[in-house]
Amino acid sequence: VGQKTHPRGLRLGIIETWDSQWYNEKEYTQWLHEDLKIQSFIKERLSRAGISRIEIERVGDRCNIHIHTARPGIVIGRRGVEAEKLQTDSGSSGERTIRINVTEIKRPELDAQLVAEAVAQQILRRSNFRQAMKKSIIASMKAGAQGVKISIGGRLGGAEMARSESNMEGRVPLHTLRANIDYGFAEADTTYGKIGIKTWIFKGEVIGRPELPGIGSPSSRATQVPTDSSQRRPSRFSEEEGSGARSAGRPRRRRDQDRRRGPRRTNHGNTES
């Protein structure tokens, strides 16, 4: 049985932070269900806005909602009319004052949730799932990702037996805790059943111990630091030693091989008298 864990939950407190930032022992259950209702309400209301994630921050009686979207114009509306409607509708369930902040995602190709939703939309349009995976992976790699993996499961192509297929390019080190890996999940409700899409995007490694910034800031997720394998792995010989150190080790290795073989055989019969 495979023991799998959420890539973001595994890195919480190391290079990742929480979507909800508050603490209350007495009203913990009530606040938790309120957060879940607010998130589901906004996702259903703005399904076409390309919302990646919704962060909630509570300070006293105030509730700040940070919406990360690829299309901020749909969320805000003309002169902020849609944002005001959303603010009043979200605050109607509780007594707290709600404030909505909108953050634009400049590169949606590097957001795993948006990539998974884009693949789901292509499957709903009855396009080939393999082509949808390949196009999304190529777009993410061109945008600057170091590795992308997409897995699709369900009745692919309307087949009777459900199966899963995956496609990958680059590297996605899931066991490396300093690796900044974004994870997204979406479902496509087709006529022949649900098809699930999982997406992993590796953006780079975080060197050192980063300070986790506050919620709602554009850099609330760990900043990716592109790393090169040649920089992380030091060479066997220093620059001062140069090629002389490498050549010095060869005769010793050759002498050891000669000792193992024993003395060389000479043909005495061909010697001239």
Side-chain angles (χ1 to χ4, degrees), residues 207 225-235:
I207 305 301
V225 181
T227 55
D228 189 8
S229 59
S230 61
Q231 296 176 359
R232 289 188 289 107
R233 297 178 182 174
S235 59

Side-chain angles (χ1 to χ4, degrees), residues 105-178:
I105 298 172
K106 295 182 179 180
R107 289 188 177 180
E109 298 88 5
L110 293 177
D111 194 288
Q113 183 63 34
L114 296 181
V115 171
E117 290 178 3
V119 175
Q121 289 295 325
Q122 292 180 53
I123 291 173
L124 285 173
R125 294 183 201 134
R126 300 195 175 183
S127 63
N128 190 0
F129 64 93
R130 290 193 186 92
Q131 290 181 357
M133 280 196 295
K134 208 165 188 179
K135 285 180 182 178
S136 300
I137 288 173
I138 291 170
S140 298
M141 293 297 288
K142 283 183 179 179
Q146 295 189 13
V148 184
K149 180 183 177 183
I150 298 178
S151 177
I152 298 181
R155 293 182 60 186
L156 303 178
E160 278 192 34
M161 291 287 288
R163 68 183 192 277
S164 62
E165 288 195 15
S166 61
N167 200 344
M168 180 177 170
E169 190 171 340
R171 66 187 192 98
V172 184
L174 296 176
H175 287 210
T176 307
L177 293 178
R178 66 171 179 265

